[in-house]
Amino acid sequence: MSRRKVLTFCTLVMYSGLMRITATAFKAQCLRLLDQVSRTGEELIILKRGRPVARVVPARDEKPWIALRGRGEFMGDPFASVVDEADIDALQ
């Protein structure tokens, strides 16, 4: 293993599911790291001089409401009036 690969490997640090990597190492491994974030769902923090400068998080679904399809149910009559007749009479 070359010295450069060893150094690049050492720049990826994981803290309980949170991955941190230097900007230089991210640049060299960008596509692999993006695939990893997409696959695992864990966020990646990119560091520059030891300070966080960017966060890579998995993309959300474009239409998250589709996941709710078929889970709802009607309660009561959907065509019923929302105001009671007694309340209408009281307003007149």
Side-chain angles (χ1 to χ4, degrees):
M1 189 179 270
S2 71
R3 180 177 173 84
R4 181 178 178 148
K5 286 185 181 177
V6 171
L7 292 176
T8 301
F9 177 74
C10 292
T11 56
L12 178 63
V13 180
M14 293 185 70
Y15 297 103
S16 65
L18 185 67
M19 296 184 292
R20 294 174 175 254
I21 191 168
T22 64
T24 305
F26 178 77
K27 183 178 175 184
Q29 304 172 24
C30 178
L31 296 176
R32 184 183 64 78
L33 291 169
L34 291 176
D35 289 340
Q36 182 177 347
V37 167
S38 176
R39 187 180 64 252
T40 63
E42 298 173 355
E43 78 176 42
L44 172 68
I45 306 291
I46 302 171
L47 307 171
K48 204 168 188 179
R49 296 185 183 134
R51 295 184 183 155
V53 293
R55 231 175 49 178
V56 179
V57 295
R60 289 188 255 161
D61 292 334
E62 288 184 26
K63 299 176 183 177
W65 56 87
I66 299 233
L68 300 174
R69 183 178 285 163
R71 295 184 181 192
E73 63 182 66
F74 285 110
M75 301 296 288
D77 183 11
F79 300 106
S81 176
V82 292
V83 181
D84 291 331
E85 289 183 30
D87 293 335
I88 293 172
D89 292 338
L91 291 173
Q92 292 179 354

